[in-house]
Amino acid sequence: MRVFVTGAIGFIGSAIVRELIGAGHRVLGLARSDKAAGSLTAAGAEVQRGSLEDLESLRSGAAAADGVIHTAFIHDFSNYGPAAEADRHAIETLGAALAGSDRPLIVTSGTLLARRQGPLATEDDAPNPAFPRKSEDAAVAMAERGARVSIVRLPPSVHGEGDHGFVPALINIARETAYIGDGLNRWPAVHRLDAARLYRLVLEKGSAGATYHGVADEGVSVRDIAEIIGRRLNLQVASKSSEEAASHFGWIAHFLSIDGPASSAQTQEQLGWRPVQPGLISDLDAERYFALERAA
């Protein structure tokens, strides 16, 4: 298949590009700069110049492909509303280009968006109305218009070499490392290479209208994460009250307070996906996560 990938040079998207090419697919990657285009070419992909906000470039890329994997997102969590709105417009544009063709569109969401009915969030759980969920809303709307849409929900920590997400943010702000309350609230996690393989399997074998969970670790306590950071940086580990958390953690405080364990049992059964890469704790307890902070 010729697959159009948005976010193709990002932390997750670049792993998806390599996974697809390694499996014999052709990749058309979205690139907004010469540097990004060069990275895609070096990886063996074709280049579609444009950006998430350039809807014509998205429409053109989708029209030229046998399927689309959408991972691009404006990662400005301090300005989340406009970022989510831009994502909605992108999904609507991609879906409209594919509607009625049976070409798959895979949309990215998050497990923290799920309203947990049991001890673990599952693929059957609906989005939580307390969180903006424009990506899933847009995916459902496009399915109703005839697009073959599937949703991949990723956990808040997708880790591995090159990670610049939540855990590196905690490391970068650490003067003393901390957790909120008893620190027993849990984050699910997955390695980026396992996530990339899941996207390929959904592309090749996924069902229209299905939701899949890219979860390896069902729930790692925030306290365990804080304790590894403290040990690695030789910092005191402390508990913060909800009131103290906002000033200590900044924008990340809200996410740290969520208890959001999630399961991928249905996904593994339906697609034969098995996470094989290191889990979050063993991956975090590696020198690469702390080398830059020590150098600084």
Side-chain angles (χ1 to χ4, degrees), residues 38-49:
S39 296
L40 285 171
T41 300
E46 303 170 64
V47 176
Q48 172 73 24
R49 291 301 295 262

Side-chain angles (χ1 to χ4, degrees), residues 142-275:
M142 288 300 99
E144 291 173 350
R145 292 176 54 183
R148 184 172 177 238
V149 184
S150 302
I151 296 169
V152 172
R153 288 175 178 162
L154 294 177
S157 182
V158 180
H159 56 93
E161 188 170 358
D163 186 358
H164 51 268
F166 286 118
V167 169
L170 288 175
I171 294 171
N172 290 337
I173 66 174
R175 294 300 174 266
E176 64 171 349
T177 188
Y179 48 87
I180 301 172
D182 60 14
L184 298 182
N185 52 301
R186 296 156 292 173
W187 275 9
V190 69
H191 194 283
R192 65 192 289 256
L193 299 183
D194 285 325
R197 192 169 70 260
L198 174 59
Y199 276 93
R200 176 177 62 80
L201 291 174
V202 174
L203 178 80
E204 295 171 346
K205 304 181 352 182
S207 300
T211 296
Y212 300 99
H213 277 191
V215 172
D217 293 313
E218 292 184 339
V220 178
S221 78
V222 173
R223 182 170 185 167
D224 286 344
I225 295 170
E227 287 177 345
I228 286 183
I229 295 173
R231 175 167 55 79
R232 278 286 187 166
L233 297 180
N234 195 28
L235 294 172
Q236 178 182 352
V237 181
S239 170
K240 298 290 183 183
S241 68
S242 298
E243 293 74 20
E244 294 169 324
S247 60
H248 180 81
F249 293 109
W251 64 269
I252 202 173
H254 175 68
F255 296 95
L256 281 176
S257 67
I258 296 171
D259 183 45
S263 167
S264 62
Q266 293 181 35
T267 296
Q268 294 193 43
E269 180 180 355
Q270 292 167 10
L271 298 178
W273 176 67
R274 298 290 184 271

